[in-house]
Amino acid sequence: MATRTRRVAIVAYDGAQTLDIAGPLEVFAGAARYAHRGAAPPYAVAVVAARAGRVRMQSGLTLIADQSYREVRAGIDTLIVAGGNARAATADAALLRWLCRMLGRVRRLASVCTGAFVLAEAGILAGRRATTHWASAGALARQYPRVRVEPDALYVQDGHVYTSAGVTAGMDLALALVEEDLGHATALTVARHLVLFLKRPGGQSQFSTYLAAQTSAPGPLGDLLQWIVEHPDGNLGVGHLAARAGMSPRHFARVFVAATGTTPAKFVANARIEHARRRLEESRGSLKVVANDCGFGSAERMRRTFQRHLHVVPNDYRQRFIVR
DNA sequence: TAAATTAACCGCCAAA
DNA sequence: TATTTGGCGGTTAATT
């Protein structure tokens, strides 16, 4: 396998969403940290903007761009356009021209969230399938009729152009790109490390299944915990899990508590809730579909489980994440 | 909304 | 003898 370093550039602009930049950046940086198989690091990431120096994010945070995109002509492997308040960026004719030029010179061109509007304005998405944050999907389709908008996708690939939905979807996209380059195992490792950091400060979620799966003893349960987290649908009854682990239910329950600090059913419930939370935040799939995919059997059961654990019903929970 | 059914959990004891 | 494992039954909680 070639061990050359791929250059990744993320386009920032005044009014951009910080997490659209930081999320993918951390994914590629994480890959560089955890996948040092070759001599050279797999990625070198830079933030580019209209000019090098300060860029003011939508949130007010100031970011320092490494370079002006005007100075960048070639040598970029993956180019990513962040989302946010993209008005300024879509009005920047020089940026749009530059993106068009780069389209033929990069291996992959991607957008996160409303960054799709910038690509669309540049004409890059014409005739292509694409997505954006679902709250903006309608606007994208209206403003750019030639774009084939897929509002429910997490991310969409059309040729070498990728577009992704919300903030976390941008990280999912970045992970998919890492997977293309470095394989599934590396992408999974990066995801686990990132999830750990993402979930740890989340005060209200008193317990992260990912964290538990990550930090659990590497004994025979380690694989099982991971399997649970990755297969929220499917039979996760105590008896079935015990059989998978090759123990009697009684013994399994004891070992499980000793290893994780929780009981099997609670762990499973938490894993399913975490999955459902993400799905509710990022997709518009019906409650019924989400409930099924996350192993709740029925929307009614998911509703009660949410009520019990989060003190919110799924629909209300989802409402909180609508960006207006 | 209430009652019946089912699943999970845990203490305890016995077998390995 | 000490530790690990498995089974039984009662209690509690969740589901239909």
Side-chain angles (χ1 to χ4, degrees):
Chain A
M1 185 185 282
T3 54
R4 73 193 172 78
T5 299
R6 297 179 170 90
R7 290 184 64 196
V8 177
I10 304 178
V11 178
Y13 45 86
D14 288 328
Q17 163 64 248
T18 313
L19 292 174
D20 286 357
I21 298 166
L25 181 105
E26 290 290 342
V27 170
F28 288 110
R33 193 172 325 134
Y34 302 119
H36 43 76
R37 269 194 289 274
Y43 298 106
V45 190
V47 174
V48 301
R51 61 193 81 73
R54 293 162 162 258
V55 184
R56 192 171 170 80
M57 301 289 99
Q58 192 171 27
S59 63
L61 185 72
T62 298
L63 204 95
I64 307 291
D66 299 298
Q67 213 177 359
S68 165
Y69 61 74
R70 295 165 206 274
E71 299 164 14
V72 178
R73 305 223 185 297
I76 299 294
D77 176 83
T78 302
L79 181 60
I80 301 174
V81 180
N85 181 359
R87 230 172 284 272
T90 51
D92 182 345
L95 172 62
L96 300 179
R97 275 198 307 277
W98 179 75
L99 284 172
C100 286
R101 266 204 312 280
M102 295 306 285
L103 174 64
R105 300 184 188 177
V106 298
R107 189 165 63 97
R108 298 181 296 213
L109 178 58
S111 72
V112 179
C113 199
T114 51
F117 283 79
V118 183
L119 296 190
E121 182 66 29
I124 291 168
L125 295 185
R128 291 186 196 271
R129 295 179 302 111
T131 191
T132 183
H133 189 282
W134 65 262
S136 301
L140 184 66
R142 249 177 286 117
Q143 289 176 39
Y144 307 97
R146 296 191 57 202
V147 180
R148 289 148 61 192
V149 179
E150 300 193 4
D152 290 331
L154 224 49
Y155 60 85
V156 171
Q157 173 184 4
D158 188 311
H160 72 305
V161 177
Y162 301 68
T163 48
S164 73
V167 169
T168 43
M171 297 179 70
D172 278 315
L173 170 59
L175 282 165
L177 299 180
V178 168
E179 182 170 346
E180 264 183 31
D181 296 340
L182 305 176
H184 181 67
T186 302
L188 208 58
T189 303
V190 174
R192 290 209 192 93
H193 282 273
L194 283 173
V195 159
L196 195 138
F197 282 96
L198 283 177
K199 296 291 180 183
R200 189 176 289 171
Q204 51 200 6
S205 175
Q206 65 292 57
F207 168 76
S208 165
T209 52
Y210 291 93
L211 185 58
Q214 165 67 32
T215 56
S216 68
L221 277 189
D223 291 339
L224 182 68
L225 295 183
Q226 203 171 298
W227 185 82
I228 291 173
V229 168
E230 285 163 15
H231 301 87
D233 54 339
N235 187 351
L236 301 182
V238 173
H240 188 254
L241 292 177
R244 255 192 108 81
M247 305 176 204
S248 76
R250 182 68 188 90
H251 185 53
F252 171 72
R254 258 192 307 240
V255 171
F256 195 98
V257 172
T260 67
T262 357
T263 62
K266 287 198 180 98
F267 183 89
V268 168
N270 272 293
R272 287 178 165 157
I273 289 169
E274 297 251 346
H275 270 266
R277 287 175 65 165
R278 281 203 74 196
R279 286 290 302 272
L280 290 171
E281 288 163 22
E282 294 176 352
S283 88
R284 268 191 306 180
S286 72
L287 293 184
K288 193 173 170 187
V289 168
V290 173
N292 269 318
D293 290 355
C294 298
F296 291 101
S298 74
E300 179 57 23
R301 231 167 98 190
M302 177 168 78
R303 197 185 69 80
R304 280 203 297 264
T305 306
F306 261 63
Q307 183 66 261
R308 205 178 311 122
H309 287 80
L310 305 175
H311 308 108
V312 196
V313 295
N315 206 33
D316 287 352
Y317 183 83
R318 171 179 267 173
Q319 298 306 316
R320 297 182 182 183
F321 287 89
I322 294 184
V323 180
R324 292 175 207 281

